Amino acid sequence: MEGYKKVSHSETTLTELMIPSYSNFGGKIHGGVILSLMDKIAYVCAAKHADAYCVTASVDTVDFLAPVEVGELVSLLASVNYVGNSSLVVGIKVISENVKSHVVKHTNTSYITMVAIDEDNKPLQVPGLILDNIIETRRFYDALNRKQLKKAFKREEAEFKKAFETQDYIEIVKHERCIISSSTGV
């Protein structure tokens, strides 16, 4: 099928040893190191599918499910889950493995939207996606659903903000754990 590629064409795995210079003050691997690796693998996976340079457009929620320790191997598994016209959603699963105890932990899952661009930094159409199994089909559907929910949320948020006055914000936040300083002009 011309103009389409299988998910397997661009599936990518990156494994890296977590070294002491990657750790934070608590002795765990710094979240920024994991985020950087996630961005790298998202680029590789998207670029392989698009046959073009890709840039990061957005990162969906990143929840850190388990800490990563110095000395563990971290593996990132990436696949293109969805394609639009010029955008691709790359799903990433991060696991860590203690090489001595062989304990494997799922530490993160995230979805990064990448956009393919041409030499003039203009969006470039990407190949469609061939879905070979029910898992790939579900991932495509889930990404499409997240995209639609995000659009609906943005519309709803804009409408909500239009209807609010300063006093409305004050009424809501004054019952939270904050103090509204007199320097706010309120």
Side-chain angles (χ1 to χ4, degrees):
M1 289 191 192
E2 195 166 324
Y4 289 81
K5 290 184 180 178
K6 290 178 175 251
V7 172
S8 60
H9 173 80
S10 57
E11 284 179 324
T12 306
T13 300
L14 170 69
T15 300
E16 188 164 335
L17 175 65
M18 296 295 104
I19 59 177
S21 63
Y22 293 172
S23 65
N24 60 23
F25 293 114
K28 309 295 183 200
I29 299 304
H30 194 286
V33 170
I34 304 298
L35 291 171
S36 176
L37 291 171
M38 291 170 76
D39 193 49
K40 282 181 192 176
I41 197 166
Y43 169 79
V44 171
C45 186
K48 283 169 67 174
H49 182 82
D51 293 324
Y53 184 73
C54 295
V55 294
T56 305
S58 70
V59 178
D60 277 7
T61 303
V62 177
D63 293 320
F64 293 90
L65 307 173
V68 178
E69 309 286 338
V70 170
E72 291 183 336
L73 292 177
V74 167
S75 295
L76 297 94
L77 313 164
S79 65
V80 174
N81 289 358
Y82 170 86
V83 295
N85 188 42
S86 61
S87 65
L88 309 92
V89 175
V90 177
I92 302 167
K93 181 177 183 178
V94 183
I95 58 172
S96 67
E97 179 182 359
N98 181 307
V99 294
K100 290 181 182 177
S101 68
H102 304 289
V103 172
V104 175
K105 300 178 289 189
H106 175 199
T107 66
N108 300 74
T109 297
S110 189
Y111 306 96
I112 299 181
T113 301
M114 307 293 289
V115 174
I117 58 173
D118 64 17
E119 295 80 25
D120 299 320
N121 291 327
K122 303 284 186 227
L124 181 70
Q125 186 172 28
V126 298
L129 203 55
I130 298 170
L131 306 173
D132 278 333
N133 58 53
I134 195 66
I135 293 170
E136 292 172 359
T137 304
R138 180 190 48 78
R139 287 176 179 165
F140 192 96
Y141 168 80
D142 288 347
L144 179 61
N145 191 45
R146 279 191 306 277
K147 181 180 174 180
Q148 291 169 341
L149 287 171
K150 191 187 288 190
K151 279 184 183 178
F153 177 76
K154 284 182 180 182
R155 277 193 311 272
E156 192 172 310
E157 184 179 38
E159 289 300 315
F160 188 70
K161 283 183 177 181
K162 273 196 248 178
F164 259 59
E165 299 293 328
T166 302
Q167 196 57 39
D168 297 323
Y169 292 113
I170 293 169
E171 258 329 286
I172 291 171
V173 303
K174 76 179 186 182
H175 302 291
E176 298 297 324
R177 291 188 43 83
C178 66
I179 296 172
I180 301 171
S181 168
S182 60
S183 65
T184 60
V186 184

